[in-house]
Amino acid sequence: MERADPGAPTVSEEQSPAQSNRAKQADAPVLDLAGLTHYFGDVRAVDSVSLQVFGGEVLCLLGPSGCGKTTILRLAAGLEVLQAGRVSIDGRTVAGEGVAVPPEERGIGLVFQDYALFPHLTVGENVAFGLRGLGASERADRIDEALAAVGLGGFESRYPHMLSGGQQQRVALARALAAGPSVVLLDEPFSGLDVRLRDKVRDQTLHALKESGAATLMVTHDAEEAMFMGDRIAVMRDGRILQTGTPDELYCRPANIFVAELFGEVNRLDAVVSDGQVETPFGPVAASGLDDGVAVEVLIRPEALRLSRAPGTPVARIIASRMLGRTSLVHMSISDDAGRDLHLHARVPGRFLPEEGEKLSIALDSSQAFVFPQKSIK
């Protein structure tokens, strides 16, 4: 079994950790997961998963609880014994092919959901915990740099119980970054924070990760969080990756019904393909690649429905409208070609609160309407 030299330095003496990470070739993945498969008893938790994460990139693993995303993180970290596949870091195999490098020798930084700080150590001592082979002066400099990067300069002498949840999370991140790891792994790092604090800490964390230049793999079940943090997102379900792409690609070009619904509410209409398109109350929508006669579902994002008081067709009857802060949500009813009432939602920027019973014309932005066979992944 191959094991790394425990005395080997984690970064070069000529470069800071961030400089060393940013110098890595952009076309070579820093973290390479190839064909990972993992069972818990008879349950296949991870099914032939392959992913690559590049230097300076944040890749988010997104999916519901139990889909296998945390297991992948643990396999990459070495916290779970790899059963099949290969894990490589900086071009070096650290798991698989007869190799099993311990977690502490993989050049990774870990941030757990519960932060895992040592309560009997100061903030500075917690950050210094993973630093080895450094003189006192360089050690102190690394602690200062890591805490400054997360906005906690001057907190070295405090203890974890003296900090807020957001501050504790940032200490955990500083500890993960202090040694200049090639790879940072984060497991639901913001789930324990209240909503108002979460946005601020996410922003600070993203800036610190980008400045570090590390390849980051982050697990989350929150689609909005994945879109905020991720340069790319890999959507998982039942141990498999369904689609990988930028937030824009996944939101605007989902591969199936599951992916489309994961990124927000949709209005659903049933239809049948005819001449390469489907008919909706708003006019035809393209159904590229689907045969005539195929039963489909048309998914329409609420922001794709445009309401107006100007004359036009079709006409929607307002059921209710609610101000949600940055947007307004409008409940409405519209009749389809068969005379059935359809209950739809429209999301409008800013304040838009039509009266109950008011009738407005409605139009569709077809770029936010998706057509899938009814038997596709749901």
Side-chain angles (χ1 to χ4, degrees), residues 126-148:
N126 267 281
V127 173
F129 186 78
L131 298 176
R132 296 177 297 171
L134 302 179
S137 177
E138 186 176 359
R139 187 184 181 94
D141 287 344
R142 289 285 184 85
I143 294 169
D144 290 344
E145 289 172 5
L147 288 174

Side-chain angles (χ1 to χ4, degrees), residues 148-319:
V150 298
L152 290 177
F155 279 62
E156 294 87 342
S157 300
R158 302 190 190 186
Y159 285 87
H161 73 271
M162 302 167 67
L163 307 179
S164 69
Q167 289 170 334
Q168 290 183 38
Q169 193 274 347
R170 286 185 280 156
V171 172
L173 178 62
R175 182 178 60 188
L177 295 176
S182 296
V183 175
V184 176
L185 305 175
L186 302 99
D187 185 11
E188 301 275 9
F190 312 113
S191 61
L193 304 178
D194 66 64
V195 174
R196 283 183 291 184
L197 180 60
R198 192 178 306 156
D199 289 344
K200 179 180 179 181
V201 177
R202 279 178 189 165
D203 186 63
Q204 292 169 326
T205 299
L206 179 60
H207 291 186
L209 290 170
K210 286 296 186 180
E211 179 61 24
S212 77
T216 300
L217 182 63
M218 175 179 147
V219 162
T220 181
H221 65 275
D222 185 327
E224 181 178 336
E225 181 169 281
M227 296 180 77
F228 182 93
M229 294 293 297
D231 297 296
R232 288 188 298 139
I233 301 170
V235 174
M236 289 194 66
R237 186 184 188 192
D238 297 334
R240 300 182 66 88
I241 293 177
L242 301 183
Q243 186 176 1
T244 302
T246 65
D248 178 70
E249 288 169 346
L250 268 62
Y251 193 83
C252 296
R253 295 187 293 280
N256 51 52
I257 292 172
F258 179 83
V259 175
E261 291 187 316
L262 190 62
F263 286 91
E265 179 191 3
V266 292
N267 297 293
R268 305 173 72 115
L269 308 176
D270 293 330
V272 176
V273 178
S274 177
D275 294 329
Q277 61 186 22
V278 294
E279 289 298 328
T280 76
F282 321 102
V285 173
S288 303
L290 297 177
D291 296 333
D292 286 0
V294 171
V296 297
E297 287 188 88
V298 184
L299 308 186
I300 299 173
R301 298 207 185 278
E303 61 268 28
L305 298 177
R306 311 288 173 80
L307 298 174
S308 173
R309 290 186 169 90
T313 56
V315 173
R317 179 178 60 84
I318 304 305
I319 298 172

Side-chain angles (χ1 to χ4, degrees), residues 24 27-37 48-55 57 59 72-73 75-78 82 84-97 106-108 182-185 215-217 232 241:
K24 298 182 188 301
D27 58 348
V30 176
L31 176 63
D32 190 356
L33 309 179
L36 302 191
T37 298
S48 302
V49 166
S50 296
L51 284 172
Q52 294 183 327
V53 191
F54 296 82
E57 179 184 40
L59 174 63
I72 290 174
L73 200 77
L75 291 170
L82 185 65
R86 176 177 49 80
V87 177
S88 298
I89 296 176
D90 284 329
R92 169 182 172 235
T93 297
V94 297
E97 302 175 353
R106 293 192 179 192
I108 57 174
S182 296
V183 175
V184 176
L185 305 175
T216 300
L217 182 63
R232 288 188 298 139
I241 293 177

